[in-house]
């Protein structure tokens, strides 16, 4: 299972974290006279980690448990530019922590997320004898995670119209494939892994995929730092410093005592957040929609058009979590102005629409000739026949209108759904589905408005 790309010397979060929440200073665990067992575990975590690292991790942050899970809060004032935590590489968990006898038995097809998940499973199996037991004890159980791979069929039906549905199906199949490769290795390594299930492995993979960062040293779980929650507009990120041999976070703004510290995992859409991290953000500015436009099977020029697509259309860069790399799959972003340039509607999608509007072999030959005389890209310029240019874009407009209607129908169904008789986790996942669909609806409406205005301008 791959993980998301990262900038040099910068960690990009691959994490199960939630919306921001603010607690008062007096509510932090260390100021409570009586601590629950779980609060005691959190209270002792940082001292344990600093002892293990033989260095100070943070003098300004504390762990607190909120309704959204474990989070980091300020224990004193923080100024913009302050280094708020430093976690040495020596106390980070990587695939290198796998016992050599297991590493040699795992095939090359198994990715780093699966390998790192195996490390977690091994140490979880060791229980209190594991050197990482205090860390593993703080990780969320499966029941507290809302990544879409944990949704049942009824819950997945809420997002059936979105590409996230198929991404989830693909994601689960990849985990199952890795499980089948790793299970016999673990069973031969330790007989106590006899009860090791795919569900256990899926949980471990999701912990890694949602909490780990990819950096100069590969994929790493960074204890304490992975309690930081996500804010899409934050400028704070996890950085790797090979000279200092540590990962660190610098505050991007001032904080008062008791405030939650936030960082940005990446510029992720709700589709990515709910699949990889298990949460969504209302009005996510990075939302986008993945759509597919196919050549109709009944098109008399189907074969010729398909050949042109394979010859001229370069597949988009393969996103780390994408279902597949396809010449007829497109990412739509919000078009800020119906009278603007419509940058959210890909030129490659408009080019495909022009190809689909061709009705004769001569039309296609003309596009090929034009491409050879210009920049070599097929159908990137408006068709000379304005009627066909309008027809091509009306085809896209009709597609967007259909997708808009589908999402409106689903949202109406969700609004009327009675969840009182269903499990208590459904309201959370229902809200996630609504956030996803509202964001996709906004994107599709903006693209549809631009296409309508473009066609009007040609008349």
């Amino acid at each position: 299972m791959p993980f998301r790309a990262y900038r040099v010397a910068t960690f990009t979060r691959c994490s199960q974290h939630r919306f921001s929440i603010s607690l008062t200073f007096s509510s932090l665990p260390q100021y409570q006279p009586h601590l629950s067992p779980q609060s005691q575990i959190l209270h002792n975590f940082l001292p344990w980690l600093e002892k293990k690292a033989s260095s100070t991790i943070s003098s300004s942050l504390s762990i607190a448990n909120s309704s959204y899970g474990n989070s980091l809060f300020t224990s004193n004032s923080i100024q913009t530019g302050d280094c708020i935590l430093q976690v040495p590489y020596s106390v980070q968990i990587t695939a290198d922590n796998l016992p050599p006898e297991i590493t040699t038995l795992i095939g090359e097809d198994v990715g780093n997320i699966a390998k790192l998940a195996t490390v977690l499973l091994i140490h979880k199996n060791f229980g209190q004898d594991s050197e990482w037991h205090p860390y593993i004890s703080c990780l969320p159980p499966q029941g507290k995670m809302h990544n879409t791979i944990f949704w049942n069929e009824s819950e997945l039906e809420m997002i059936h119209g979105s590409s996230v549905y198929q991404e989830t199906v693909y994601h689960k199949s990849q985990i199952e494939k890795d499980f089948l490769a790793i299970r016999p290795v673990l069973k031969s390594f330790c007989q106590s892994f006899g009860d090791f299930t795919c569900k256990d492995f899926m949980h471990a993979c999701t912990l890694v995929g949602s909490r780990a960062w990819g950096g100069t040293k590969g994929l790493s779980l960074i204890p304490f730092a992975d309690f930081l929650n996500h804010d899409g507009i934050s400028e704070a990120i996890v950085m790797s410093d090979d000279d200092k041999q540590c990962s660190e976070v610098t505050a991007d703004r001032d904080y008062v005592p008791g405030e939650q510290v936030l960082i940005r995992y990446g510029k992720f859409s709700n589709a990515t957040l709910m699949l990889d991290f298990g949460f969504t953000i209302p009005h996510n500015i990075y939302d986008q929609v993945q759509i597919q436009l196919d050549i109709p099977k009944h098109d008399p020029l189907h074969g010729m058009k398909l050949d042109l697509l394979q010859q001229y259309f370069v597949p988009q860069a393969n996103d780390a979590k994408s279902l597949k790399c396809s010449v007829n799959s497109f990412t739509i972003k919000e078009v800020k102005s119906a009278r603007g340039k419509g940058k959210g509607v890909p030129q490659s999608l408009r080019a495909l629409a022009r190809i689909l509007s061709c009705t004769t072999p001569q039309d296609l030959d003309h596009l090929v000739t034009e491409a050879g005389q210009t920049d070599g890209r097929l159908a990137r310029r408006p068709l000379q026949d304005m009627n066909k240019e309008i027809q091509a874009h009306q085809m896209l407009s009709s597609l967007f209108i259909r997708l808009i209607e589908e999402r409106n129908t689903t949202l109406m169904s969700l609004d009327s759904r009675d969840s009182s008789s269903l499990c208590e986790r459904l309201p959370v996942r229902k809200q996630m589905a609504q956030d996803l669909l509202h964001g996709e609806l906004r994107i599709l409406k903006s693209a549809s408005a631009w296409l309508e205005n473009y066609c009007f301008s040609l008349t």
Side-chain angles (χ1 to χ4, degrees):
M1 291 164 45
F3 58 95
R4 298 203 172 272
Y6 54 88
R7 294 188 294 175
V8 175
T10 301
F11 281 109
T12 298
R13 190 65 177 267
C14 267
S15 171
Q16 161 60 28
H17 273 43
R18 294 78 22 196
F19 305 116
S20 63
I21 185 172
S22 182
L23 298 182
T24 60
F25 186 57
S26 60
S27 68
L28 294 174
Q30 62 266 38
Y31 297 99
Q32 297 174 353
H34 301 291
L35 301 179
S36 67
Q38 183 61 31
S39 295
Q40 188 66 51
I41 291 174
L42 296 179
H43 183 67
N44 295 333
F45 181 81
L46 185 55
W48 163 80
L49 186 63
E50 291 183 330
K51 181 179 179 181
K52 187 176 182 62
S54 299
S55 65
T56 299
I57 302 295
S58 177
S59 58
S60 57
L61 299 177
S62 300
I63 308 172
N65 183 267
S66 70
S67 59
Y68 300 112
N70 300 330
S71 312
L72 294 187
F73 295 82
T74 56
S75 51
N76 51 50
S77 297
I78 291 175
Q79 303 298 315
T80 303
D82 287 351
C83 180
I84 55 178
L85 66 82
Q86 288 185 320
V87 183
Y89 290 164
S90 61
V91 290
Q92 297 180 21
I93 307 175
T94 70
D96 292 337
N97 291 93
L98 268 179
E101 57 268 36
I102 289 183
T103 302
T104 57
L105 294 175
I106 295 179
E108 294 182 359
D109 292 340
V110 176
N112 281 333
I113 286 184
K115 290 178 181 177
L116 196 44
T118 304
V119 175
L120 281 184
L121 286 170
I122 291 174
H123 283 277
K124 185 177 181 180
N125 186 66
F126 289 159
Q128 295 187 8
D129 293 333
S130 167
E131 63 171 309
W132 295 107
H133 177 69
Y135 172 65
I136 293 174
S137 300
C138 294
L139 298 178
Q142 181 182 320
K144 297 293 185 180
M145 303 181 76
H146 298 288
N147 306 64
T148 52
I149 64 168
F150 297 126
W151 291 24
N152 60 36
E153 285 302 321
S154 175
E155 292 163 342
L156 284 174
E157 193 61 31
M158 296 186 293
I159 57 171
H160 192 275
S162 172
S163 63
V164 182
Y165 180 89
Q166 287 299 328
E167 292 278 359
T168 300
V169 173
Y170 174 76
H171 198 50
K172 291 179 72 171
S173 69
Q174 288 297 107
I175 291 177
E176 291 166 356
K177 179 181 177 182
D178 287 337
F179 168 73
L180 293 176
I182 289 175
R183 186 185 182 191
V185 176
L186 283 184
K187 289 188 69 174
S188 64
F189 174 72
C190 181
Q191 291 299 320
S192 61
F193 275 106
D195 296 330
F196 166 55
T197 67
C198 186
K199 195 173 183 179
D200 298 326
F201 185 67
M202 188 174 297
H203 177 219
C205 284
T206 307
L207 285 172
V208 172
S210 64
R211 305 186 76 85
W213 280 272
T216 57
K217 296 298 182 181
L219 192 63
S220 304
L221 285 168
I222 310 178
F224 192 70
D226 63 3
F227 294 136
L228 287 164
N229 282 340
H230 169 74
D231 179 5
I233 61 174
S234 173
E235 293 299 324
I237 54 179
V238 177
M239 301 286 292
S240 61
D241 190 323
D242 289 345
D243 293 331
K244 297 179 182 178
Q245 289 289 290
C246 71
S247 302
E248 58 186 22
V249 175
T250 301
D252 67 325
R253 66 177 180 85
D254 296 346
Y255 286 92
V256 298
E259 212 177 344
Q260 182 178 183
V261 177
L262 303 169
I263 65 171
R264 188 181 70 221
Y265 298 167
K267 297 180 179 180
F268 297 141
S269 66
N270 274 336
T272 295
L273 291 176
M274 66 194 303
L275 176 69
D276 297 345
F277 302 88
F279 68 93
T280 53
I281 297 175
H283 312 295
N284 189 340
I285 61 174
Y286 300 115
D287 267 333
Q288 56 189 33
V289 182
Q290 195 77 16
I291 69 167
Q292 187 165 316
L293 183 60
D294 297 311
I295 304 172
K297 294 291 185 181
H298 56 78
D299 190 329
L301 302 179
H302 182 276
M304 293 182 63
K305 292 177 179 179
L306 186 61
D307 288 342
L308 288 178
L309 257 63
Q310 294 172 343
Q311 181 179 353
Y312 283 91
F313 280 58
V314 179
Q316 298 172 351
N318 191 14
D319 187 276
K321 297 284 185 178
S322 289
L323 176 61
K324 59 184 179 180
C325 196
S326 174
V327 296
N328 59 341
S329 182
F330 304 90
T331 299
I332 311 300
K333 298 182 180 180
E334 186 171 7
V335 183
K336 300 299 183 180
S337 171
R339 297 183 180 276
K341 294 183 178 180
K343 292 182 179 179
V345 183
Q347 286 285 352
S348 54
L349 173 62
R350 298 173 63 193
L352 177 55
R354 292 180 180 119
I355 294 171
L356 295 184
S357 69
C358 291
T359 56
T360 67
Q362 290 74 21
D363 291 337
L364 295 175
D365 290 340
H366 177 74
L367 291 178
V368 172
T369 301
E370 183 181 59
Q373 294 172 345
T374 55
D375 58 4
R377 296 186 299 173
L378 191 68
R380 293 303 179 97
R381 297 189 176 190
L383 297 173
Q384 293 182 4
D385 186 334
M386 284 297 101
N387 288 328
K388 288 190 175 181
E389 176 72 1
I390 292 172
Q391 179 186 352
H393 287 77
Q394 285 178 337
M395 178 194 310
L396 294 180
S397 183
S398 297
L399 170 62
F400 289 150
I401 290 173
R402 177 175 60 81
L403 296 175
I404 288 170
E405 291 174 348
E406 289 177 355
R407 282 156 178 76
N408 273 327
T409 300
T410 303
L411 282 168
M412 290 176 61
S413 174
L414 291 179
D415 289 337
S416 62
R417 177 178 294 198
D418 179 14
S419 60
S420 60
S421 61
L422 301 176
C423 59
E424 64 179 29
R425 69 188 175 186
L426 182 57
V428 176
R429 298 179 181 182
K430 175 181 175 181
Q431 184 60 56
M432 290 172 62
Q434 289 174 322
D435 289 341
L436 171 76
L437 295 173
H438 278 301
E440 293 192 348
L441 196 57
R442 185 181 75 252
I443 304 302
L444 292 169
K445 284 183 176 179
S446 73
S448 179
W450 183 85
L451 287 167
E452 181 179 354
N453 187 73
Y454 178 75
C455 291
F456 178 77
S457 70
L458 296 181
T459 60

